[in-house]
Amino acid sequence: MKKFIILNVWSFFRFSIISILLLLINGMFIIANAKIVSSVKPIGFIAEAIASGVTDTDILLPDGASPHTYFLKPSDLVKLKSAQLVIWVGEDIETFLPTILKDIDKKKQIELMQLPQVKAFLRVGQKHNESKFHHENNHKDHFHNSEYDEHIWLSPKIAKIIAQTIHDKLIIQYPNKRAIIDENLSKFTTKLIETEQNIAKKLISVQNKGYFVFHDAYGYFESQFGLKNLGSFIINPAVQSGVQKIYAIQQKLKEHQAVCVFKEPQFNSAVIEKLVDGTDVHIGVLNPLGTDIIPSKDSYSQFLLQLTQQFLDCLDNK
């Protein structure tokens, strides 16, 4: 009798465990029902603008995380494998993605750095300038993305290409919703042009004010709007800055070449507080990933305007 009770308890326990696991797996697939998954939030903003009213979108990278240092979770793998379209930048930014994406159909992916239209607007990154000798002598057949600044979501010009590319993919996948997709693209482009004009006017007054950034990420935005970036503490946040670089920045701060030093919420930037101590240099915060902005039709423009205001909040203090 005792043995029978034990067997029944074990059977019930085993059934319960299996049931819970099935519920969890089903729950993960319900969570991961987005048809379009973007790697980082600003790309997700563009995807949401074009796909609004057509299909669901989702973003892989959570607020507060960096694409340079992120590790995929099991729920992320489910999202990626169940997505109808995955949009990502390139292997130098999202180092956590290439391995898993090898097992996903290329037709279900948009790797933005590989688009010919995007390549036409790419700027050489500081990373390549500072390590040209290393690349030329040790990585002659290295994938060419390493030469370029991959923070392409900070370029309104490239954002329009990304929007057009998503539009073209969605028309193939949802031919019966072409009118909505066309209208979404038109509204996005019109709104973005207005935003660019607005930003250009706002930033005229601070174009000659020098500053340093924690992380070399803003080149596209800075070159379009004529801002005066004097340098960055680090190029890749996964690699610490050398003593020489820190010393050089410290000297420039002492020589009053900069009015601001910008940190980022994604990274521990305690070095910045130490460097500006005893100077009249302001510390500002730049958020290149649009943390806390909720994806919507207008969220990409909101993201650019937020970044603009973050520049002004610090640079306009002088």
Side-chain angles (χ1 to χ4, degrees), residues 172-210:
I172 295 167
Q173 292 180 349
Y174 301 95
N176 60 325
K177 294 188 178 180
R178 176 161 192 155
I180 300 172
I181 300 165
D182 285 347
E183 185 182 4
N184 285 348
L185 178 64
S186 177
K187 286 182 176 177
F188 175 82
T189 306
T190 301
K191 178 75 174 177
L192 185 50
I193 290 168
E194 289 172 4
T195 301
E196 286 177 279
Q197 292 168 348
N198 189 4
I199 291 171
K201 287 174 187 173
K202 284 175 178 285
L203 292 176
I204 285 174
S205 62
V206 296
Q207 284 179 334
N208 294 318
K209 295 186 177 181

Side-chain angles (χ1 to χ4, degrees), residues 62-112:
D63 279 353
S66 163
H68 297 281
T69 55
Y70 187 64
F71 289 97
L72 288 169
K73 302 190 294 292
S75 57
D76 295 329
L77 300 178
V78 175
K79 278 183 189 178
L80 289 167
K81 289 185 176 181
S82 63
Q84 203 165 344
L85 182 62
V86 177
I87 309 168
W88 62 300
V89 180
E91 61 182 26
D92 267 21
I93 284 278
E94 301 112 332
T95 54
F96 59 89
L97 274 180
T99 303
I100 185 68
L101 290 180
K102 281 178 184 173
D103 298 327
I104 293 174
D105 188 349
K106 289 282 184 187
K107 291 177 183 176
K108 292 184 175 182
Q109 299 179 40
I110 300 175
E111 185 181 352
L112 298 171

